Amino acid sequence: MDGFSFLIVVATFVIAIMALSKNSSLQTKIAQLKVQVEKLADEVAQFQRQGIAPVEETPIPAAEPLAAVVPEEVVMAVEPETPSPAEKPSSNWSQKRAAIEIPGTPKRDMEQTLASRWFVWIGGAAIAIGGLLFVKYAYDNQLISPALQIILGLLLGAALVAAGEYVRRKSAVRKSDYVPAALSAGGLVTAFGSIFAAYASYELISPTLAFGGLAVVAIGALALSRLQGPLIAALGLIGSYAIPLMVRTEHPSAWSFFPYLLIILAASFATLRGRNWWWLGFAAIAGSAAWTALWLGSGPFVPEHTLPVGLFLHALGLISFLGLSGWRILADESGSLAASSTITPQLSIGLVGLGVEGLLLMGLVHQTDHAGPALLMFFAQAAILVAIAWRKPGLSILALVAAVLSFLVLMVWDEVALHEWAMDEQGLWTSLLGAEAQRFLSYMLAAAAAFTLVGAAGTRLQAYPRNWALTVGFSAVLFITGAWARVDSLVSENSWALLGVVFAGVLLGTAWLGRSRHDEAETNHASGILSIGAALLLLFSLFRLFDNIWLTMAIAGLAVVFAWLTGLMKVKLQGPISAALGSLVTIRLFISRELWNEDRTLPLGAHWPLYGYGVPAVIFLAASRLLKKAGHLRSAITLEGLSLGLLISLVSLELRVLISGGITYDEPQFLEMAAHILTWLGAAYGLMYRQQLFSSFIATWGARILIAGSCAAIVILSLGALNPVVTEEPVPGGVIFNALLLAYLAPVVLLGLITRRLEVLQWEELRPAAGLLSLLLTFVYITLETKRVFQGHIMQIESLSVAESYAYSAVWLVFALALFVTGLRLARQYIRYAGLGIMVLVVLKVFLFDMSNLEGLYRIASFIGLGLCLVGIGWLYQRFVLGTPARSRE
């Protein structure tokens, strides 16, 4: 296929697609018009039912929606013909009826679609193709020379354009006449193809002349579209952006190419002014962006092209933003990003243009390896975005966008440092500074200062302080921490800490200056954002200055500072900030590996939890009091709970140090676990007592968690995994005062006290379970204590002597009898049942075990003792249970 055939195919395709698009758009608008007319018909029917005649001066209801929904040419296509004065009715009633009836005729719509639009556009395409085919035929048959062929093609194109304009001027219905645009489109395609053929097929003209000629035709089409409609504009825009693909040069010049793109862009926006062809603005931006991206990516870009590319991109953003409405785009009427539904098409196009400008400038900076001119171009656009945000409050978020883009551009700077992952004592990565480290740090600090100051000013002076607070908070935090992350070794840790404190001071100072307006939700929220940024920066500084347990205590101190500021500044988010800092301290204490390493150089040596846990616990308790006073109850409850948890942990850790010799020593043993359980149960009882005096969420749930954890530890560890007869480890202590007393008997006392107050926790239904656990612990204590007497420190499950076996029967009988008597005295049936249950166990042991294993006096004493106890229990039951009134048996 030669060049001419290719042009014919392309021209046919473009014209067909544009005609189809135009027809589809018109059909959609006509459908919208029908909906409006149907609504009008419903109103007319309602008037008729109510017997109300419309007022003479009332305008036609369909007139205003008609103009708003469809272009003028479509309105004229469906409007009824104007009657003569003699036929004009006396009221608007007949006009409304005509407006209702005419669009509802399907045959008329199809006729108009075919005759006035489809046939016209197809005819125009046929004329263009026919003209090109005629010129090609004449050349193939050697009727004319190539030069004459081109001249005839140009003359034919000019004639068709002139004919189109002549028809437009003579047309009686200009708005709905598609013939002029069809003729002109055919002429433009013919001229476009003739110039390209002169360059590509016949080599009659130079690339420069071909480029200029094609540009004149394309830009002329844009100008002509102001008179003849959007199809001509689309044709001109497509041709304009296709020219660089069609006309190639071995030495492309940025100073020639980008001014050409600027002319197309300016012509497109000049064409769009006063028109509602919004697609033209977006298409012009897209075409310019595509060519710029190609030039930067796979094109002939060299660093010397930075200035023309940068200037063009600035022009792209400014023309897109100001080209349609001028400075009126900054008025409130253009809409706001806070309410996206109010944004006008002009503002949408402007924002898209600014966004494309920013992204392409980022690409320019990257392509030049962050050269000074490219960075200057980029930051100039950032300044423009900030200026727009300052001038138009509805676009204040653009300041944050500028800060984010600036941060991203600087953070991807390649020649700053080389980073490698390294899990060692120095951190997660190691850095090797590059040649651009100092320049990078200067730009980062300058950007941080600029955005922080302008954001602080906006927070104080602008109508939407929240967006400006986001700008200052983002800039102060990320520019400082980002600079440290890449070039941390460039300056000392003290200098980094000082930078964090200075920027945090700016943020808190800005919040303090706005304290008189903290009763306004927007300002209060903005000050909260500033406080979050300040807290993060102060944390950054503390991490640079302190280490190990001192860092933990410093963060705890920061938590109480924000609790104090909450009452002083009345900022709602400062309470949660204090609670978050307290949570960070607690998490660090429990998971930080560096704190669990035994460091005997710390004060008090292994007893460092006294201040490592104790000091934060006291601080959190004080902070919770400050927050309660300020009305931040949820945050106060959080810190109170953290304080309680740290105090309990402190006691447990000190027990571990005292018993095991250190925190990181062996796994908890039997005696240590017994001490922990007693501590937890004691704390739970204390919280329950406090709950009776002052109702508290922390007291309720703290007691519940401690009780549940203690009972689980008793069952799983004390009675199971750490039981001395299971582990066969020595039992610490003497015959009476030993670990068995602490592990089994002492918890019974605390469980009894807790059981009496379970209604405080709304756990009354758990009393039977608590009683059963207490009975089990007492029984195990009696049994193991008996075993300790006979076997010594190391105990085994099986009995080692006949006397030991008999002793179990004896002590169990005494225990059963004691329970039964206690149940009688307290009138508690479940205690009597417990005694009877143990008595059953003794009976089974005597008849199944003692009869075969015991001998002599032990066997006799076992049976006689059992018999006497059984008879005695029967006598007691008849005397004190059956012989008492029914109400006392329970």
Side-chain angles (χ1 to χ4, degrees), residues 346-403:
Q346 292 91 335
L347 182 58
S348 297
I349 292 173
L351 292 176
V352 170
L354 290 175
V356 169
E357 175 192 4
L359 294 176
L360 290 174
L361 283 171
M362 291 176 67
L364 177 64
V365 171
H366 180 72
Q367 285 295 100
T368 60
D369 293 327
H370 289 73
L375 284 171
L376 180 63
M377 290 287 180
F378 175 81
F379 283 114
Q381 201 247 357
I384 292 173
L385 292 179
V386 172
I388 294 173
W390 189 275
R391 179 62 180 80
K392 184 175 176 61
L395 300 181
S396 57
I397 196 67
L398 290 182
L400 177 61
V401 172

Side-chain angles (χ1 to χ4, degrees), residues 540-596:
F540 170 80
S541 298
L542 293 179
F543 272 92
R544 307 281 72 76
L545 294 175
F546 300 103
D547 201 0
N548 295 330
I549 197 62
W550 302 110
L551 174 60
T552 302
M553 290 191 292
I555 298 174
L558 188 60
V560 78
V561 167
F562 273 92
W564 172 70
L565 288 176
T566 301
L568 194 64
M569 299 174 64
K570 310 300 181 186
V571 176
K572 294 180 180 179
L573 285 178
Q574 285 179 345
I577 291 173
S578 179
L581 291 171
S583 301
L584 177 61
V585 169
T586 305
I587 293 171
R588 178 175 169 78
L589 282 170
F590 282 101
I591 70 172
S592 180
R593 61 175 184 171
E594 64 185 29
L595 299 181
W596 291 96

Side-chain angles (χ1 to χ4, degrees), residues 864-883:
I864 292 175
L866 175 60
L868 290 175
C869 287
L870 292 175
V871 172
I873 287 177
W875 178 81
L876 289 172
Y877 193 78
Q878 292 179 3
R879 174 70 176 81
F880 293 100
V881 178
L882 298 179

Side-chain angles (χ1 to χ4, degrees), residues 326-499:
W327 295 110
R328 288 182 289 110
I329 197 71
L330 298 175
D332 294 338
E333 290 74 15
S334 64
S336 167
L337 287 174
S340 57
S341 59
T342 64
I343 296 178
T344 61
Q346 292 91 335
L347 182 58
S348 297
I349 292 173
L351 292 176
V352 170
L354 290 175
V356 169
E357 175 192 4
L359 294 176
L360 290 174
L361 283 171
M362 291 176 67
L364 177 64
V365 171
H366 180 72
Q367 285 295 100
T368 60
D369 293 327
H370 289 73
L375 284 171
L376 180 63
M377 290 287 180
F378 175 81
F379 283 114
Q381 201 247 357
I384 292 173
L385 292 179
V386 172
I388 294 173
W390 189 275
R391 179 62 180 80
K392 184 175 176 61
L395 300 181
S396 57
I397 196 67
L398 290 182
L400 177 61
V401 172
V404 172
L405 294 179
S406 300
F407 175 76
L408 294 176
V409 162
L410 293 176
M411 285 299 291
V412 298
W413 201 331
D414 290 333
E415 301 298 325
V416 172
L418 175 64
H419 302 282
E420 292 183 356
W421 290 103
M423 297 293 293
D424 55 22
E425 65 278 358
Q426 296 181 349
L428 294 178
W429 67 78
T430 181
S431 301
L432 180 64
L433 296 182
E436 298 291 332
Q438 187 60 56
R439 267 186 81 223
F440 166 78
L441 180 60
S442 300
Y443 273 105
M444 288 290 281
L445 295 182
F451 283 112
T452 298
L453 291 177
V454 74
T459 304
R460 291 283 297 119
L461 303 175
Q462 287 293 311
Y464 294 97
R466 181 166 51 189
N467 289 338
W468 291 98
L470 285 171
T471 302
V472 63
F474 174 90
S475 303
V477 173
L478 288 188
F479 278 104
I480 297 300
T481 57
W484 169 83
R486 297 214 63 189
V487 293
D488 58 317
S489 60
L490 196 60
V491 296
S492 66
E493 293 283 24
N494 290 337
S495 299
W496 287 118
L498 180 60
L499 280 172

